[in-house]
Amino acid sequence: MAQSSPSTPHISVLLEGAVDALVHDPSGNYLDGTFGRGGHSRAILKNLAPEGRLIGIDRDPAALKAGQAIDDARFTLVRSSFSELDDVAQQQGVFGQLSGVLLDIGVSSPQLDDASRGFSFLRDGPLDMRMDPEHGVSAAQWIADAEEHEMARVFKEYGEERYARRLAKAIVQRRKERPFLRTVDLAEVVKAAHPAWEKHKHPATRVFQAIRIHINDELGQLDAALDAALEALAPGGVLVVISFHSLEDRRVKRFIRDKARGDIDIPKGLPLREDQLNRRLAPVGKAQRPSKEEVDANPRARSAVMRVARKLA
């Protein structure tokens, strides 16, 4: 994720740290699973040798259009979900041969800043929120059809919203009068029903996050992408993941931990050699966060966490 507006350029978060961690072999094959507007991809290309190669993936048509501006024979951009990056690697002939995979998770700043995409509660636009606006169920459709208990579950589970049931009830009551079609309309209903606002945070923040995560299956996509990346990497290959909220980071942290432990279901006390534990990953350093200078320049970077791991086998 990065900050942008109609008058300022897109700023990739943790750019130097991510690329430094990722590109350990300038002649290798790399995959940027979340191309966005190409900030990380452009930086990776600058660090590759002439024989190096980079594959970019995105499911957002606007991101794919932006990628057309990169004129580099070493670069290929593919329309796909990052959860299918192993299939993309197969199609590109580099499965099991990737020197590094980068995943920059979540909604991008251009998506947030474009009111027509419907991600923002601060900008009035159609209530959509789909990463790929050509496929799937829009936020407006989901809100129109979801049962109250299901809506409350989504707000609680994906938004960690304390007043999930109360807000779901208010939305269901209002939709009986007229459907929710616009972002600001939904935000105002949530705002009016929310009993306790967090300091410096709009009361609709968690509800919008929850709806977006749910309709895009973001956590399921992340889980699949992590598994796919592990298989597509070559031994010694590096996985770099940047996440922006605790739901994502907990999954990434647990994935790296579990793959570093190996086969943890083996009976306790059973004598095994190290090579029998089937350890797949080794963490590289500690979790990294943006510097104060980066957060000052790009407030949306404040919640970013980057984790790095190297594939063992």
Side-chain angles (χ1 to χ4, degrees):
M1 189 185 295
Q3 183 182 29
S4 70
S5 73
S7 60
T8 59
H10 178 73
I11 306 171
S12 296
V13 172
L14 290 164
L15 182 64
E16 290 186 13
V19 175
D20 287 347
L22 185 76
V23 183
H24 57 98
D25 175 10
S27 300
N29 299 306
Y30 292 87
L31 188 145
D32 181 353
T34 45
F35 177 78
R37 292 302 180 270
H40 286 111
S41 282
R42 287 181 175 86
I44 292 167
L45 287 167
K46 287 180 180 178
N47 285 268
L48 292 187
E51 60 272 26
R53 185 180 180 194
L54 174 64
I55 300 164
I57 296 177
D58 212 294
R59 54 177 168 167
D60 185 341
L64 297 169
K65 184 176 180 180
Q68 294 174 3
I70 298 181
D71 183 15
D72 192 317
R74 301 169 299 170
F75 179 65
T76 304
L77 184 58
V78 179
R79 181 172 187 174
S80 179
S81 167
F82 68 175
S83 64
E84 299 172 344
L85 69 84
D86 51 346
D87 292 337
V88 173
Q90 289 272 16
Q91 294 160 10
Q92 297 295 320
V94 293
F95 182 79
Q97 302 173 37
L98 290 173
S99 298
V101 172
L102 171 65
L103 302 176
D104 183 6
I105 310 301
V107 65
S108 71
S109 288
Q111 290 169 328
L112 282 172
D113 293 335
D114 183 353
S116 70
R117 300 300 299 273
F119 287 104
S120 176
F121 43 78
L122 298 176
R123 297 174 175 84
D124 190 36
L127 195 55
D128 196 312
M129 298 196 203
R130 288 173 292 177
M131 298 289 190
D132 181 350
E134 297 175 8
H135 296 91
V137 174
S138 70
Q141 290 174 294
W142 182 76
I143 290 170
D145 297 333
E147 298 285 345
E148 183 177 323
H149 66 86
E150 169 66 3
M151 200 177 292
R153 182 193 67 79
V154 167
F155 296 168
K156 180 70 173 178
E157 186 173 339
Y158 299 145
E160 298 178 300
E161 173 55 66
R162 179 181 178 185
Y163 300 99
R165 293 175 64 183
R166 179 172 181 156
L167 299 180
K169 183 177 181 179
I171 291 170
V172 169
Q173 286 297 113
R174 213 311 297 276
R175 79 182 181 188
K176 293 176 181 178
E177 302 171 14
R178 62 183 187 279
F180 286 95
L181 301 175
R182 310 288 295 182
T183 53
V184 169
D185 183 24
L186 176 62
E188 287 300 315
V189 169
V190 173
K191 181 179 178 181
H194 207 296
W197 298 7
E198 296 177 60
K199 189 176 182 180
H200 305 309
K201 181 176 285 190
H202 192 288
T205 299
R206 294 180 181 275
V207 165
F208 269 64
Q209 172 186 296
I211 295 171
R212 190 201 80 222
I213 289 174
H214 176 67
I215 67 169
N216 290 292
D217 187 27
E218 291 182 31
L219 298 182
Q221 293 273 318
L222 173 57
D223 289 342
L226 293 171
D227 285 331
L230 180 58
E231 300 307 319
L233 282 166
V238 174
L239 173 65
V240 178
V241 186
I242 302 171
S243 56
F244 288 85
H245 61 71
S246 59
L247 291 175
E248 297 166 342
D249 183 53
R250 283 199 296 266
R251 274 174 150 76
V252 176
K253 181 179 180 179
R254 183 174 64 242
F255 177 82
I256 293 174
R257 179 201 65 200
D258 290 350
K259 297 304 179 182
R261 287 178 178 174
D263 293 329
I264 57 177
D265 292 332
I266 294 171
K268 188 175 182 180
L270 185 67
L272 289 174
R273 298 189 310 272
E274 176 66 26
D275 63 346
Q276 293 178 304
L277 291 174
N278 193 31
R279 301 185 197 273
R280 305 293 308 281
L281 287 174
V284 177
K286 297 181 179 180
Q288 297 182 41
R289 290 172 172 80
S291 65
K292 181 180 183 300
E293 291 75 18
E294 181 170 3
V295 173
D296 288 343
N298 180 8
R300 288 179 183 164
R302 64 185 178 275
S303 60
V305 180
M306 183 175 77
R307 297 186 185 273
V308 182
R310 186 178 300 276
K311 182 174 177 178
L312 297 175

